[in-house]
Amino acid sequence: MKSTDLDRIEVNPKTMPKRTNPLANVFDDLVRFCRSRSMFMLHYCTGCGAIELPPAMTSRFDMERLGIQPMVTPRQADILLITGYVSIKTLKRVILTYEQMGSPKYVIGICSCTVNGGMYWQSYATAKKLDEYMPVDLYIAGCMPRPEAVIEGLQQLMDKIKNDQANSWKQYYENYDYYLGNQQKLFGNNWQTPTDVIGEAEIYRLMGPQTLGEHTKILQQVQKPMEPLEMKL
Amino acid sequence: MSMLDTLLLISLLTVLLTGLGQRVTFIGWIATLLLTAQLLTLLLMGKLGYGGEIIDASFGFSILGQPLNWRYDALSWFFALITIGSALAGSAFAAGAWGDQYRKEGGNPGLLQFSIALNVLAMLLLLGSGDLLSLFIGWELVSWASLLLMVIAGGRASEFGMRYIVYATAGAMAVLAGLAIIFQLTGSFAYDDLAAVAPALNTLQIVTLTLLFFFGFGIKMGLLPFHLWQADAYAETPGPGTAFLGAISSRMGLYAILVVIIQLIGLVRLIEIEIPYSFLSLRDLLMWVAAISIIIPTFIALRQSDARRLLAWHGIGQGGYMLIGLLVLDPYGSAGGLMHVFNHATYQAALFLSVSAVIYRTRTSDLNRLGGLVTRMPLSFLVMLIGIIGLAGIPPMNGFVSKWLVYRSLIIEGMPLLFVASVIGTLGTILSVYKLIHNTFLGQLRLEHEHIREVPLSMTIPMLVLSAIVFITGFMPGLVLDWVGSAQVALGMPQLAHTLGGVESTQGSLDMIWVCSVLFGGFAVGALLFYSGNKAKRVHQLDNYAGGHFLTADVRYHYSDNFYAGLMHHIGSWYRGSFLWLESSLISVVSSLSGGAQLLYNSFHPALYLLMAITLSLYFFIG
Amino acid sequence: MANSILLTILEVILMPLVAFIVGLFMVLMMRKLAAKLQRRVGPPLFQPLYDIVKLYGKQTQISHGLIHDIGIIMAVGGYVAAEALLPVPGMDGIAAKGGLVTLAYLMMVPSLGLALGVGQCANPNGSIGISRALTAMLAYDIPFIIVIFGVAYHFGSTNLVSIIATQQAEGIAGWGISEMPILAIAGLFALHASLGKQPFEIYIAPAEIATGPMVEMGGKFLGGLFVMQTFQLYTASVLYVSLFLGGGENWVTFLIKCFAVLAIPVLIAYLFPRYRTEDLIRLVWKWPVMLALLGVAFVMN
């Protein structure tokens, strides 16, 4: 089984089964609506793609009217906006950043580079397909896309969230073995981040059949323990 | 035999037993037990705290025709309660595991217990003094007893102890001179005689007496500019000793000032005396000394990187609040000042004990070598948290109530600059206590501290009891205000009308029961909101935002050194060590004077000088 | 007796609720004004609420330990309690039982809680943020406390209820701002600095220390801080209105005054970049303190 085989991923049903309690449904709808109308964005920008974001945020296009505002650290953010190519070195940081974000979290790849490496296709140091390493909700293609396209893409994401279709963050937990395998292929078997994805999946009941596998076994062998510092009396 | 005799006898017994039983391993527990007995005896005298009759000691002496006697009134009882309470906390803390470890390291816990017991006896005698002569004797006893406690650790501590004794001797000389003047004026050392004569004294006499006594007793309080000895001397004492010293030792100076200057000479006289070429009265001058004693030591504390020194400097600063409150001369201020003595003793002892607990486990009190201990020593953290909230004077702890009373009297009496000075002190305190708790208990846990455990029960119980007192007397300040009110009456001051929760007044009241209840209600709302969200996963401290960087345990990233860099960038140049310079120049002046005198004495006619000295002293005493 | 206690408890419950709702609109106003100054449209009406609901609705979030949690609880809870000390039209809560000084110190409880929570995060950015926040507090609290002194001395009371009643009895001429204009200016300056907005946002400084105290806050932790912000804006403006603008005769004038007071610093804020810490101290210790002392000198004569 090839680990780069995207078809291997079992995508969970697009919409969650509705809860039976009508009040709970209303509540869920409300929370989803608020999620779609309030998106804190962490932009990871390399090179040219970054240029298109300031106009999208400031006076000309004004993202804030859609409830989107830039944030500084992954803990605060909902959207990870990756513009431009990711080199193998920076990919490590992108993955760490992604794992540190709180779910539900969404990844947007902007520019061709995130789709297939773009003009860096031949580079030995560039990770070509972003979605081999983390689930991507939305690509905004173009070299580079104009702010209108960025806003358009963000609006699409809003619709997806509202309709409960933007659940790719669950795939990361449910198919962690696959993503970890791809990461290990690039970074070697010693690869680990300080975040404990498997532990998180266990706590939040996000384990899927593909969460654990051959790659997570390797991880568990090399991993330095990262248990939280519990209070001891 | 009166209750006072019993109390002093038990105290003497404590001293004797701890002195004789140096080799006994459980000497700490004996000392604790006996101190508990002292506390119980004192509590049996509890009527004093609620306006009871003065209790006289049945013994008394007579020296050179001057009677010496001892008695306890509400003020003495109040101070004695704090003394014995803090000694008990320190002693109990040292009795168990702490003492064992101290012995293993070559220390002598018996000696520590002995010196605490001796200090308590000396202080009880001082507090019970019924005339100026016994006051002076008690004063000297306290000075030397505390020296013993200071130099126990040896090494640098002896140096600091020596420095202290130089200051203390200078103070004692001033007090002696004051007493000599009083004796000349009244022909006796009785309190009543002085109080009777005081209204008739002329301005010069009042000023001289006030300055002499203020200087003499103020040195013990560490009032500026004689504050340099205190922090070093206190901080070097082994753990529980610092708690005892920091909690009560300097307050003896305040007690003496209260008795002599406020009770006997009378503040009203001081207010009448204008200092030429200024807008200040003599009382204002003393208040400004107190205000500066708040600000400067507090900001020196801000610069300390050693937990014990930081706290010791705050001890000096908080003394200023007590004095400033008492000098305002309205019921609010004096109640605040007196109450702050109690409050300060409770939280300061808790803080010192908590720092001692940290030292017990980590062997260091260097604020740059600690961090993250909250997960390992949560109870010590809790104690320190309650302590710093008290020290900073934030509701709901008791430190807030006493400071509130002081602030309120300064506002209503219209003293803006003094009010601002005391608030600046509080703000500086908040800054430095956050640094204390942050650098010790919060932030990154060091690799070498991974396996530390909480201190044993024998140490946590005294700490927790103290912090419980800090909270309860903050929640119901009326408990302490009862005693304070009686002490005010004993001092001849107007008594503060109070309720269990604080003060009722048309000009602004305080009801801590309501304020605390609402505060905790607010916390409950906050908790409800917080726990309504989905649960949070606890993560390791290395799972942290570092701009995408991967943190490792061997890299220290705890932000501790030069904690207030921005502030220090601005005010750092104000720390010029002017007082150190003043001290060293005083030393050199004194030493060159004495060198000159020696030269004179050696090269000329020694016999003549001896004769001169004798004649002068004879004149002094007889004439 | 029992009736009055029940009534007080009811008010104590209602006052924070009102504060939260008004605070939400204050946040909205702040963001809208910023947008208008930058010629943007700005967020929709319920944006502050969306943000808070979303943050509390996060499914996974991290905590660095119990103190991290308790810090957020204290930060929100402290303000909830502080609101009960701030009289609003028709409700006095426990204002008469605490007074100005108590309120000033109670407002430090949330900051202390936040500082503790941030400390446990073990993030140097957060610790630097707190050290700067406390430094800023040391800076702006000095003029603030002088102003409080002046007002309390002028009205002869530290009781907010009686301060407001005295002002309302005499109409606009009796308002603090007409009787103590210099103190009012100094107070506005201190209020601005206490909001932590530009040019005084040294402890947020996103580009420098990654939002300082908020660096490790996500989900309900950040949500708590957003709630705290609504209370913070409300408390600051209501306190100013109570001291200088005669409090609220009725809800309409009260809210108009509150929003107007807040609009002034906000309008100034978004025109400026950020000061450095030592420059902030220098500025705040110079002008507002001088003004406040001058104001007190006038008040006392």
Side-chain angles (χ1 to χ4, degrees):
Chain A
M1 188 157 48
K2 282 197 302 179
S3 61
T4 48
D5 190 357
L6 258 176
D7 303 332
R8 205 193 64 137
I9 299 180
E10 285 177 21
V11 177
N12 50 315
K14 282 282 180 192
T15 47
M16 298 287 286
K18 288 231 166 189
R19 285 203 262 176
T20 44
N21 184 346
L23 267 179
N25 271 329
V26 172
F27 182 75
D28 283 353
D29 284 344
L30 173 78
V31 171
R32 264 203 304 278
F33 177 74
C34 289
R35 263 179 208 150
S36 72
R37 293 308 300 266
S38 155
M39 298 197 285
F40 294 168
M41 177 179 74
L42 181 70
H43 35 272
Y44 178 82
C45 296
T46 45
C48 36
I51 297 298
E52 299 302 323
L53 281 178
M57 278 185 261
T58 50
S59 314
R60 182 70 193 271
F61 294 99
D62 188 19
M63 271 180 188
E64 201 187 6
R65 70 202 149 96
L66 302 177
I68 304 169
Q69 47 176 329
M71 277 284 165
V72 180
T73 74
R75 305 288 189 204
Q76 306 160 345
D78 306 306
I79 312 175
L80 180 59
L81 206 78
I82 297 171
T83 73
Y85 69 96
V86 277
S87 76
I88 292 170
K89 240 179 169 175
T90 53
L91 182 61
K92 290 181 182 173
R93 276 75 189 173
V94 173
I95 290 168
L96 172 67
T97 306
Y98 177 72
E99 287 179 356
Q100 283 185 336
M101 286 166 64
S103 312
K105 51 191 169 186
Y106 319 103
V107 179
I108 301 180
I110 296 187
C111 304
S112 334
C113 300
T114 51
V115 183
N116 57 11
M119 61 185 283
Y120 300 96
W121 194 81
Q122 286 172 312
S123 163
Y124 62 90
T126 307
K128 271 129 205 129
K129 286 184 183 169
L130 186 61
D131 54 14
E132 287 182 354
Y133 308 100
M134 59 184 67
V136 176
D137 282 271
L138 191 82
Y139 280 118
I140 304 174
C143 185
M144 317 79 70
R146 287 188 46 78
E148 290 98 326
V150 174
I151 299 266
E152 174 76 29
L154 286 167
Q155 274 176 322
Q156 273 188 28
L157 181 66
M158 284 171 71
D159 290 339
K160 277 176 80 177
I161 296 171
K162 215 178 294 175
N163 301 328
D164 200 14
Q165 287 166 341
N167 285 317
S168 73
W169 57 274
K170 284 184 186 158
Q171 284 178 30
Y172 193 70
Y173 292 106
E174 286 167 5
N175 300 297
Y176 183 54
D177 190 54
Y178 163 77
Y179 290 110
L180 184 68
N182 289 342
Q183 292 165 10
Q184 281 173 346
K185 216 168 112 195
L186 269 192
F187 310 135
N189 283 344
N190 282 331
W191 163 251
Q192 80 162 105
T193 53
T195 43
D196 178 14
V197 178
I198 300 170
E200 241 168 71
E202 276 168 3
I203 286 186
Y204 293 106
R205 299 170 196 281
L206 292 164
M207 297 284 273
Q210 314 286 335
T211 304
L212 300 176
E214 44 181 330
H215 304 295
T216 51
K217 246 181 224 141
I218 299 174
L219 175 72
Q220 276 155 352
Q221 278 160 15
V222 299
Q223 194 174 30
K224 288 187 210 110
M226 276 292 175
E227 279 102 41
L229 299 166
E230 282 304 334
M231 274 203 183
K232 283 195 287 198
L233 266 180
Chain B
M1 209 161 92
S2 70
M3 289 302 285
L4 181 56
D5 299 350
T6 323
L7 176 68
L8 292 176
L9 267 180
I10 299 176
S11 186
L12 187 66
L13 186 71
T14 319
V15 173
L16 288 178
L17 278 184
T18 46
L20 292 174
Q22 294 285 310
R23 300 251 163 241
V24 185
T25 43
F26 51 90
I27 186 69
W29 293 117
I30 297 178
T32 309
L33 209 63
L34 285 165
L35 279 167
T36 316
Q38 291 183 35
L39 188 65
L40 287 177
T41 319
L42 195 73
L43 290 179
L44 286 179
M45 295 159 67
K47 267 193 188 150
L48 279 176
Y50 300 92
E53 289 286 305
I54 291 177
I55 298 179
D56 285 305
S58 53
F59 59 89
F61 305 102
S62 182
I63 295 176
L64 298 172
Q66 293 300 326
L68 279 170
N69 53 60
W70 282 270
R71 91 281 169 277
Y72 263 47
D73 59 6
L75 184 70
S76 329
W77 185 84
F78 181 62
F79 274 83
L81 181 72
I82 302 166
T83 309
I84 298 178
S86 46
L88 181 60
S91 169
F93 185 87
W98 190 90
D100 296 339
Q101 198 193 38
Y102 186 56
R103 187 177 290 116
K104 265 185 221 135
E105 284 168 1
N108 182 354
L111 185 60
L112 184 69
Q113 298 284 6
F114 169 70
S115 13
I116 291 181
L118 189 67
N119 268 284
V120 171
L121 178 62
M123 287 177 186
L124 290 182
L125 281 174
L126 171 67
L127 295 174
S129 49
D131 52 73
L132 288 169
L133 204 55
S134 54
L135 182 81
F136 184 70
I137 292 171
W139 180 255
E140 282 302 288
L141 280 176
V142 167
S143 290
W144 291 96
S146 58
L147 176 67
L148 179 62
L149 201 49
M150 284 169 199
V151 298
I152 270 186
R156 289 182 69 205
S158 335
E159 263 174 58
F160 298 133
M162 283 306 129
R163 191 180 185 183
Y164 158 68
I165 211 65
V166 171
Y167 275 96
T169 316
M173 289 301 137
V175 174
L176 196 61
L179 288 185
I181 294 177
I182 287 178
F183 189 68
Q184 264 200 328
L185 294 171
T186 64
S188 94
F189 288 117
Y191 284 164
D192 294 339
D193 292 337
L194 175 58
V197 167
L201 296 180
N202 64 29
T203 307
L204 182 68
Q205 284 163 331
I206 291 274
V207 171
T208 321
L209 279 178
T210 309
L211 290 184
L212 278 175
F213 284 117
F214 196 71
F215 169 73
F217 296 135
I219 277 182
K220 184 81 181 164
M221 276 186 81
L223 289 177
L224 253 73
F226 308 106
H227 59 293
L228 288 169
W229 62 271
Q230 201 180 82
D232 288 333
Y234 284 8
E236 285 296 321
T237 312
T242 50
F244 175 69
L245 282 177
I248 189 66
S249 186
S250 341
R251 305 306 150 230
M252 291 300 127
L254 186 76
Y255 174 79
I257 288 181
L258 274 177
V259 168
V260 178
I261 299 185
I262 296 183
Q263 190 177 14
L264 299 182
I265 298 179
L267 265 188
V268 185
R269 288 300 307 270
L270 304 191
I271 298 174
E272 287 163 5
I273 297 171
E274 295 285 332
I275 298 170
Y277 308 113
S278 76
F279 302 109
L280 301 175
S281 71
L282 185 57
R283 194 265 310 244
D284 294 340
L285 178 74
L286 302 189
M287 284 181 96
W288 272 106
V289 170
I292 294 170
S293 298
I294 294 174
I295 295 179
I296 290 182
T298 302
F299 279 83
I300 294 177
L302 189 55
R303 290 256 285 199
Q304 301 301 313
S305 61
D306 182 289
R308 289 179 298 173
R309 281 206 165 61
L310 188 145
L311 289 176
W313 276 110
H314 276 303
I316 308 175
Q318 299 300 310
Y321 283 101
M322 304 166 195
L323 193 58
I324 217 170
L326 283 161
L327 288 171
V328 180
L329 195 63
D330 73 341
Y332 289 92
S334 54
L338 281 172
M339 193 189 180
H340 204 53
V341 178
F342 179 88
N343 295 348
H344 178 72
T346 50
Y347 61 68
Q348 184 82 338
L351 282 170
F352 266 123
L353 291 185
S354 154
V355 167
S356 303
V358 170
I359 298 175
Y360 175 79
R361 285 300 188 204
T362 64
R363 322 307 311 145
T364 180
S365 58
D366 186 343
L367 290 176
N368 293 336
R369 291 172 190 281
L370 293 165
L373 291 176
V374 58
T375 52
R376 297 295 175 256
M377 305 173 70
L379 288 180
S380 308
F381 168 80
L382 181 69
V383 171
M384 185 180 275
L385 179 62
I386 291 175
I388 65 164
I389 297 178
L391 176 58
I394 296 176
M397 301 309 164
N398 60 10
F400 169 71
V401 183
S402 42
K403 283 189 183 176
W404 184 88
L405 289 167
V406 174
Y407 296 148
R408 221 207 75 117
S409 69
L410 289 172
I411 291 180
I412 299 299
E413 297 290 312
M415 300 175 175
L417 296 178
L418 287 168
F419 172 69
V420 172
S422 49
V423 173
I424 290 176
T426 302
L427 295 173
T429 312
I430 294 174
L431 260 67
S432 86
V433 294
Y434 180 69
K435 173 181 154 178
L436 174 70
I437 200 164
H438 172 269
N439 289 9
T440 322
F441 284 106
L442 302 174
Q444 185 195 14
L445 182 69
R446 289 185 159 220
L447 261 184
E448 64 261 34
H449 296 155
E450 286 263 343
H451 303 294
I452 281 181
R453 279 176 302 121
E454 181 56 89
V455 291
L457 224 53
S458 67
M459 293 161 79
T460 43
I461 287 176
M463 297 199 291
L464 288 174
V465 169
L466 279 173
S467 14
I469 295 175
V470 172
F471 173 68
I472 290 170
T473 52
F475 184 61
M476 293 184 276
L479 298 175
V480 183
L481 283 172
D482 284 339
W483 307 331
V484 166
S486 314
Q488 280 178 310
V489 173
L491 271 172
M493 286 181 156
Q495 191 182 5
L496 175 71
H498 63 269
T499 57
L500 185 62
V503 191
E504 287 262 20
S505 149
T506 49
Q507 291 182 311
S509 35
L510 177 71
D511 192 339
M512 282 303 281
I513 296 180
W514 268 101
V515 170
C516 294
S517 309
V518 169
L519 185 60
F520 284 100
F523 288 164
V525 173
L528 209 65
L529 259 179
F530 182 80
Y531 291 109
S532 70
N534 203 2
K535 65 189 164 205
K537 179 184 181 291
R538 294 275 159 84
V539 295
H540 190 269
Q541 57 181 359
L542 292 179
D543 180 2
N544 219 321
Y545 170 76
H549 185 69
F550 289 72
L551 295 169
T552 46
D554 53 319
V555 177
R556 295 199 178 112
Y557 55 85
H558 186 34
Y559 178 66
S560 61
D561 188 45
N562 197 9
F563 194 73
Y564 295 106
L567 182 65
M568 287 309 155
H569 192 95
H570 189 61
I571 69 168
S573 58
W574 298 354
Y575 294 87
R576 291 203 195 90
S578 316
F579 290 101
L580 281 174
W581 175 84
L582 182 71
E583 189 194 40
S584 64
S585 51
L586 266 181
I587 289 173
S588 53
V589 166
V590 171
S591 66
S592 54
L593 272 182
S594 61
Q598 201 180 14
L599 197 72
L600 218 64
Y601 183 78
N602 284 344
S603 50
F604 294 100
H605 311 285
L608 186 69
Y609 290 109
L610 195 62
L611 195 66
M612 263 172 71
I614 290 170
T615 330
L616 272 176
S617 52
L618 275 178
Y619 173 77
F620 190 72
F621 279 114
I622 297 165
Chain C
M1 182 65 192
N3 243 347
S4 78
I5 287 182
L6 272 182
L7 198 66
T8 313
I9 290 175
L10 188 70
E11 287 181 0
V12 165
I13 294 169
L14 271 178
M15 285 160 86
L17 213 62
V18 171
F20 177 62
I21 294 165
V22 175
L24 282 177
F25 284 102
M26 285 179 165
V27 174
L28 179 78
M29 180 190 74
M30 194 179 72
R31 290 174 66 173
K32 273 283 192 194
L33 281 179
K36 294 294 171 220
L37 284 177
Q38 295 161 355
R39 301 192 180 179
R40 290 189 285 118
V41 179
L45 185 64
F46 290 111
Q47 189 61 47
L49 194 65
Y50 296 156
D51 287 346
I52 290 171
V53 172
K54 178 210 64 179
L55 285 168
Y56 275 97
K58 276 271 187 188
Q59 301 207 338
T60 75
Q61 49 213 327
I62 60 105
S63 154
H64 279 281
L66 188 62
I67 305 304
H68 191 182
D69 304 355
I70 290 177
I72 299 300
I73 293 173
M74 275 176 80
V76 176
Y79 266 119
V80 169
E83 304 316 341
L85 285 165
L86 267 179
V88 291
M91 288 191 281
D92 286 339
I94 57 164
K97 298 181 170 68
L100 257 181
V101 181
T102 315
L103 178 66
Y105 280 85
L106 203 64
M107 275 157 62
M108 289 178 187
V109 173
S111 323
L112 178 74
L114 179 61
L116 289 174
V118 172
Q120 164 121 63
C121 292
N123 192 306
N125 287 307
S127 299
I128 294 173
I130 291 298
S131 110
R132 289 185 182 192
L134 289 173
T135 307
M137 187 195 78
L138 176 68
Y140 65 69
D141 256 6
I142 291 176
F144 175 64
I145 218 81
I146 303 176
V147 168
I148 284 200
F149 174 91
V151 174
Y153 185 81
H154 176 78
F155 293 111
S157 171
T158 56
N159 182 352
L160 268 177
V161 178
S162 65
I163 289 177
I164 292 171
T166 318
Q167 293 184 62
Q168 287 179 353
E170 294 171 40
I172 292 183
W175 284 7
I177 196 166
S178 348
E179 305 218 337
M180 305 169 281
I182 304 178
L183 276 182
I185 295 170
L188 197 62
F189 204 130
L191 168 92
H192 185 178
S194 75
L195 290 179
K197 290 287 155 205
Q198 295 93 332
F200 305 113
E201 50 135 28
I202 53 168
Y203 52 94
I204 306 294
E208 200 182 341
I209 49 169
T211 60
M214 306 192 314
V215 63
E216 277 293 296
M217 306 285 180
K220 56 181 176 179
F221 296 84
L222 192 62
L225 297 191
F226 273 53
V227 174
M228 181 182 156
Q229 189 194 18
T230 63
F231 284 131
Q232 188 197 7
L233 295 177
Y234 172 86
T235 312
S237 53
V238 172
L239 182 59
Y240 191 86
V241 168
S242 310
L243 292 183
F244 291 109
L245 299 178
E249 296 86 2
N250 55 52
W251 275 99
V252 179
T253 54
F254 177 68
L255 288 180
I256 291 174
K257 283 180 204 169
C258 289
F259 281 90
V261 162
L262 194 64
I264 298 168
V266 168
L267 282 174
I268 298 169
Y270 288 99
L271 301 176
F272 283 95
R274 181 171 66 243
Y275 277 117
R276 297 195 316 179
T277 313
E278 57 267 30
D279 292 339
L280 180 149
I281 300 169
R282 192 171 297 130
L283 182 83
V284 176
W285 279 357
K286 196 188 278 174
W287 297 110
V289 168
M290 266 168 28
L291 278 175
L293 285 177
L294 192 70
V296 167
F298 276 111
V299 164
M300 296 193 69
N301 280 317

